[in-house]
Amino acid sequence: MSESSLRVVWVYPDLLSTYGDRGNALVVERRARQRHLNVTRIDVRSDQSVPTSGDIYLIGGGEDRPQRLAAERLRNDSGLIRASENGAIIFGVCAGFQIMGHEFVNDLGEREPGLGLLDVWTTRGDGARCVGDVLADVDPRLGLPQLTGFENHQGVTHLGQGVQPLATVVARRGHGTGDGTEGAWRDTVFGTYLHGPVLARNPAVADMLIKLALDVNALPPADTTWYDALRAERIAATTRPA
């Protein structure tokens, strides 16, 4: 696979990189290099245009005001939307997930338009924040093991008919809607509330993104010793009785 190349775009690290979400870009890059792939990682700051020629686009979480600024600039830039139209793989976390939907509530308490890449919309919850380690069963169609990650959000995300839940929670709250769903996906666009960073805790998800980008059914095996230890530790912490 050494002749294959992969362009990984990390979107707005200056605004959207809460809880070490930059680690998602590092993990995708590392997992690709373990398969001897040629990888180019492009970190796009919020004062730069988002290229349309990437293969995998990663968007992290952020606080309310940076999220609003990121949404405004991504709408005005349109590079991410055009990349999605070109079939690029897009993976958003928390604020990034909300931005990919139709709308969310911004720091001014107003309804902020998103990018419409996923048929979801987010309101502000009135109850307690969704906080803590999550364990969730992934949509069987994706063929992935249980999802582990850390949620911390006040938003309540509702799914429309154009998406499928990424997973069903076993522990914690997920979207906060009470239906046990977590994340959403459609074709090559994925969103989740989980930090961790989530791709470090779930290397199979990173591998799935790479496979989709390369349009292959399988990747050569790669060492998962470190990832397995992290997964086992966090899953045990999630399922341990209080």
Side-chain angles (χ1 to χ4, degrees):
M1 300 187 69
S2 58
E3 295 181 0
S4 299
S5 62
L6 197 68
R7 292 158 295 182
V8 179
V9 182
W10 176 229
V11 179
Y12 294 179
D14 53 328
L15 293 178
L16 301 174
S17 190
T18 303
Y19 296 123
D21 288 331
R22 177 175 174 268
N24 291 326
L26 297 175
V27 169
V28 170
E29 185 178 12
R30 172 62 178 164
R31 298 295 290 170
R33 293 192 187 283
Q34 284 182 292
R35 279 57 180 250
H36 307 291
L37 294 169
N38 296 315
V39 184
T40 300
R41 197 181 96 213
I42 305 167
D43 291 2
V44 181
R45 294 178 61 84
S46 58
D47 60 351
Q48 299 173 315
S49 297
V50 177
T52 61
S53 58
D55 299 303
I56 299 175
Y57 292 76
L58 301 167
I59 315 171
E63 296 180 353
D64 290 350
R65 184 172 182 275
Q67 180 187 20
R68 171 169 56 87
L69 295 175
E72 291 175 355
R73 294 175 189 184
L74 287 170
R75 289 197 308 270
N76 292 333
D77 176 77
S78 79
L80 188 63
I81 295 174
R82 285 182 287 143
S84 177
E85 292 171 346
N86 293 338
I89 315 305
I90 302 176
F91 186 85
V93 172
C94 202
F97 174 28
Q98 294 182 1
I99 288 172
M100 293 195 300
H102 297 303
E103 66 177 30
F104 60 92
V105 179
N106 65 24
D107 60 308
L108 304 176
E110 300 168 344
R111 293 161 60 180
E112 181 77 27
L115 303 182
L117 300 180
L118 286 172
D119 185 15
V120 306
W121 64 99
T122 302
T123 58
R124 190 175 298 278
D126 295 327
R129 290 181 68 85
C130 298
V131 181
D133 274 290
V134 173
L135 191 62
D137 293 327
V138 181
D139 186 331
R141 284 168 288 190
L142 296 175
L144 296 170
Q146 278 191 318
L147 195 65
T148 171
F150 181 81
E151 65 178 2
N152 184 358
H153 60 95
Q154 190 69 40
V156 176
T157 297
H158 308 268
L159 275 55
Q161 296 297 312
V163 296
Q164 298 296 325
L166 179 64
T168 302
V169 294
V170 175
R172 299 295 175 182
R173 296 172 59 190
H175 290 143
T177 55
D179 64 359
T181 56
E182 202 297 308
W185 72 284
R186 175 190 60 82
D187 298 330
T188 59
V189 181
F190 302 84
T192 179
Y193 269 112
L194 302 188
H195 303 279
V198 66
L199 297 186
R201 292 198 190 190
N202 303 275
V205 178
D207 289 351
M208 178 192 69
L209 302 180
I210 296 170
K211 286 188 290 185
L212 288 171
L214 298 176
D215 194 21
V216 298
N217 293 323
L219 295 172
D223 180 49
T224 60
T225 303
W226 182 87
Y227 302 97
D228 291 343
L230 176 61
R231 277 182 61 78
E233 172 192 301
R234 299 320 307 159
I235 290 173
T238 306
T239 57
R240 186 180 301 127

